[in-house]
Amino acid sequence: MIDYPRHDRDGWQRWVPSWRLVSGLCIAFFGCLVGAAGLAYAMVSVPVIDESATAQNNVYYWADNTQMVATGGDRNRQSVDLSQIPKAMRNAVISQENKTFYSDSGIDPKGIARAVFNMAKGGETQGGSTITQQYVKNAMLNDQSQTVSRKVKEIFVSIKVGAEEPKDKILEGYLNSAYYGRGAYGIQAAARAYFNVDAVDLNPGQCAFLSAVLKGATYYDPAGSIAIDPAATPEANKKRAQSQMQDTLDKMVEYGHLSQAERAKYTELPTTRNPQSNANLGGQIGYLVRLAKASVVRSGAVTEQQLEKGGYSIYTTFDKKKVNEMEKAVQKVYKEKIDPKKRPEKDTHVQFGGASIDTRTGAIKAIYGGQDATKHFTNNADVTGAQVGSTFKPFVLAAAMKWGVRDPDLGPVQAQDERTVVSPKSLYSGKNDLKINNYDGSIWENEKGEQWRQENDGQDDVGSPPDYKIDLREAMRESVNSAFVQLGMDVGLDKVKESAEDAGLLEDSLAGAGYPSFSIGVSDPSAIRMAGAYATFADSGKQREPYSVTKVTNKDGTLYTHKVEEKQAFTAKVADNVTDVLKTVVEKGTGSNAQLPGREVAGKTGTTDGNKSAWFVGYTPQLSTAISMYRYPDDETIKDRTFLEMFGTGGEKKIHGASFPSTIWQDYMSDAVKGMKVERFPKPEPIGEVINDTPSPTPTPSPSPSASETEEVSPSPSPSPSDTQNSPSPPAPTETCDFWDINCGNGNNGGNDNGGNGPGGSEGSQSPSPSATETEGEGDSSGNSRGNTIWGANG
């Protein structure tokens, strides 16, 4: 029956098949395809969307494998009839997602071709591009794997659904099963989650917004999802949602679903309510779960939507005892010192944040995210926008010991390569109102020709006259701004920034490095990142990413296991010398509140310009902990919220890193290190050369400006000097001493946690610049101008 090779041909012609054979094979092949397709079509069934309401819990475990909480299975979903879904919602989705919905067959051949091509390249399979395909995908809960077989099954189910189900039923099923973020499945749950109304009461603007959220709540929810992706800030998400919403409304008009007059009513993003937390996630548990959930999603092992459907076991790094101890330490200060009823203008909106990290692994052992995750949504251990002040200075010192200062006699290109590594014994001026120079000795000026003068806390000169030189160890101990601002200029602010990133800070948390104030903490890393960066110094320069999840499992086995990866960010010589200098801060400097009897501690205080945030970051050889304090309104209905001053907060004249933050740190760490082996930091090897050890000529004193002459330069968030504005500068307050500030009045000028100011210094979403002469601390970006001179303020 098959004449091949052909008997009636000779030579090569025997191997050329006849047209009958070719035709027969083609018919047989296509017949098999049709048969297989028919069999596949017959074997699949139309999914019942209501079955997707059933889900399992996710179980989160403490570091000791005991259960922390089971949550996530009580999915927020309630089906409603199509009559209860506004036509505007139906039309918004159709206009944006699938304008041919009512006429197509339920599948998109072009979309399928794209998916096949993507799979052929080894990429992930794509989701359904028609509403029918998306509906089917939502309904197929038992198999959400990204495989070819699942994709093929989805296609056949979509064809069957498109052929057998009415379009209105498909649309109803899709809108009732889609995930809108905030744990909300279905339009009714979404309407409640975002607007606290029933679906039937949604207006066209709200409908267009919800259709935008369907593209991915991580990037379109106005509340933001920075824990999952730092790019998903509230501001960025609002911008994306606004753009997508307006595009949807325009398409609704274009396709005849909405009149131009009605469309004109919805030009602004609708007001959404704050995300609501599960009552089981109160206290610190909610912050821990959110942090772990974000870590799982970032790992790529499980998507956010899959995690919401439940059935996963998440094993975390969190130590239950340490979490409780950190919360107890913070609550002790709240109870004993913070009294909103007694001081409503000073003690309201007081916030603390904290994070504690294993220096040898990067495991996050404890965090303090706020007083209650069901009431205060922002995780204060994560991104908050609170500037870190002088806790940034160790990165300047590390840069000076890693790369060295530039030779002032060399040109810019050659000076980058020929540098002198700096010893902690190097001398720098601790003079107040120090005129800041570029590395080559020329006076630093901004675009307007304005110079920079760096103030110290209390406007005091530090060091011995006449040149007021002080070595870097002493400058760190007393937190002298002028010395570190000039050191940063000599090293190069680009290298200071690189040093901070090498230690583990994220680039998007760092301010622009174009102004001298960069060296004294105008950036706003999180408490988690600060604790992690100091852990790099603690472990002799080995940097590891902070992490909160060790593994994720489900019924199919282990889906993800964290692998600790380390890099040598600094040599042991550099890191150990930084640690040795920071030990001095705790032993006899601004951080003496943080001493732990019988243990070595290294750390640094930080207080920012305008007294708007205060920090203490410190570590033992095994554990690194960061504590922050600031005032910021919880109420999102308040427009133009900003950080508030802390003068008078807790009954203190001024809040320092040496007061409440170091007190909390010491209280927590005293308990946290119990049972740990007492270890010592490595003895540092000598490093670098002593810079500026020759006597300087007696300087000609610069007259201090009178109050009437001094003006404050308050820049816009983008550090452009041309954007600065002037306003009167208030006088610096007088210090008082009390029990909580043990360094006050000891001759150290409150620790000289000083900042620097000049035009600019912050960028992006940095907080507005506070007054220039009000604070002790380290770093905002405003300044006082007199003629062509910028007077750096206490930062």
Side-chain angles (χ1 to χ4, degrees), residues 436-727:
I436 300 302
N437 296 331
N438 294 307
Y439 85 93
D440 59 4
S442 62
I443 297 172
W444 185 93
E445 294 182 345
N446 66 11
E447 294 175 2
K448 293 183 177 181
E450 297 169 319
Q451 299 172 6
W452 187 288
R453 283 188 179 274
Q454 183 58 55
E455 282 189 358
N456 290 328
D457 181 43
Q459 301 183 12
D460 292 325
D461 297 321
V462 183
S464 301
D467 53 14
Y468 294 100
K469 283 187 177 179
I470 183 173
D471 70 39
L472 292 177
R473 180 184 297 276
E474 186 72 3
M476 186 74 79
R477 183 182 79 82
E478 296 197 31
S479 201
V480 181
N481 281 351
S482 54
F484 280 95
V485 169
Q486 187 59 61
L487 177 62
M489 298 300 291
D490 291 351
V491 175
L493 298 182
D494 59 331
K495 293 300 185 185
V496 174
K497 184 174 184 179
E498 187 175 344
S499 170
E501 291 178 24
D502 287 345
L505 300 189
L506 298 178
E507 182 180 7
D508 58 14
S509 71
L510 300 177
Y515 289 84
S517 60
F518 180 75
S519 293
I520 46 177
V522 296
S523 300
D524 57 8
S526 68
I528 291 172
R529 284 287 166 177
M530 287 299 289
Y534 273 47
T536 300
F537 297 131
D539 198 25
S540 297
K542 297 181 181 69
Q543 191 272 331
R544 305 172 185 86
E545 285 294 292
Y547 71 101
S548 59
V549 174
T550 58
K551 68 177 180 178
V552 180
T553 65
N554 68 358
K555 61 181 178 60
D556 297 322
T558 300
L559 305 177
Y560 166 78
T561 301
H562 178 78
K563 295 180 180 179
V564 176
E565 297 180 356
E566 68 179 46
K567 65 178 182 180
Q568 194 72 39
F570 305 100
T571 63
K573 182 184 289 189
V574 170
D576 293 344
N577 271 279
V578 171
T579 293
D580 194 58
V581 170
L582 294 182
K583 279 174 56 182
T584 307
V585 175
V586 177
E587 290 171 354
K588 51 183 178 179
T590 62
S592 58
N593 262 1
Q595 294 175 5
L596 298 175
R599 291 183 184 269
E600 289 193 329
V601 175
K604 185 70 187 76
T605 55
T607 312
T608 59
D609 191 33
N611 207 209
K612 294 185 177 181
S613 60
W615 289 73
F616 184 79
V617 187
Y619 52 93
T620 65
Q622 300 108 313
L623 199 62
S624 177
T625 299
I627 301 293
S628 65
M629 177 182 179
Y630 53 92
R631 291 180 64 213
Y632 191 78
D634 259 338
D635 189 355
E636 292 193 4
T637 62
I638 300 175
K639 291 185 178 181
D640 301 321
R641 289 184 296 162
T642 187
F643 288 89
L644 306 174
E645 294 177 346
M646 294 190 292
F647 296 113
T649 297
E652 300 287 315
K653 184 70 175 180
K654 185 190 300 183
I655 298 297
H656 303 83
S659 56
F660 296 151
S662 65
T663 300
I664 292 170
W665 189 97
Q666 200 278 341
D667 196 5
Y668 159 71
M669 287 289 284
S670 294
D671 291 327
V673 298
K674 285 180 180 177
M676 289 185 179
K677 181 182 177 182
V678 175
E679 296 184 16
R680 301 183 66 83
F681 292 116
K683 184 178 180 179
E685 298 179 24
I687 191 171
E689 298 182 20
V690 179
I691 306 298
N692 302 325
D693 59 342
T694 57
S696 299
T698 303
T700 302
S702 300
S704 297
S706 64
S708 61
E709 300 180 293
T710 305
E711 292 182 326
E712 175 189 344
V713 181
S714 298
S716 63
S718 178
S720 173
S722 60
D723 292 335
T724 59
Q725 310 226 342
N726 296 331
S727 62

Side-chain angles (χ1 to χ4, degrees), residues 163-187:
E164 298 183 7
E165 296 291 319
K167 289 289 187 177
D168 281 350
K169 185 175 180 180
I170 295 172
L171 184 58
E172 176 189 298
Y174 171 62
L175 292 174
N176 276 322
S177 63
Y179 181 60
Y180 296 79
R182 301 191 179 187
Y185 284 82
I187 185 62

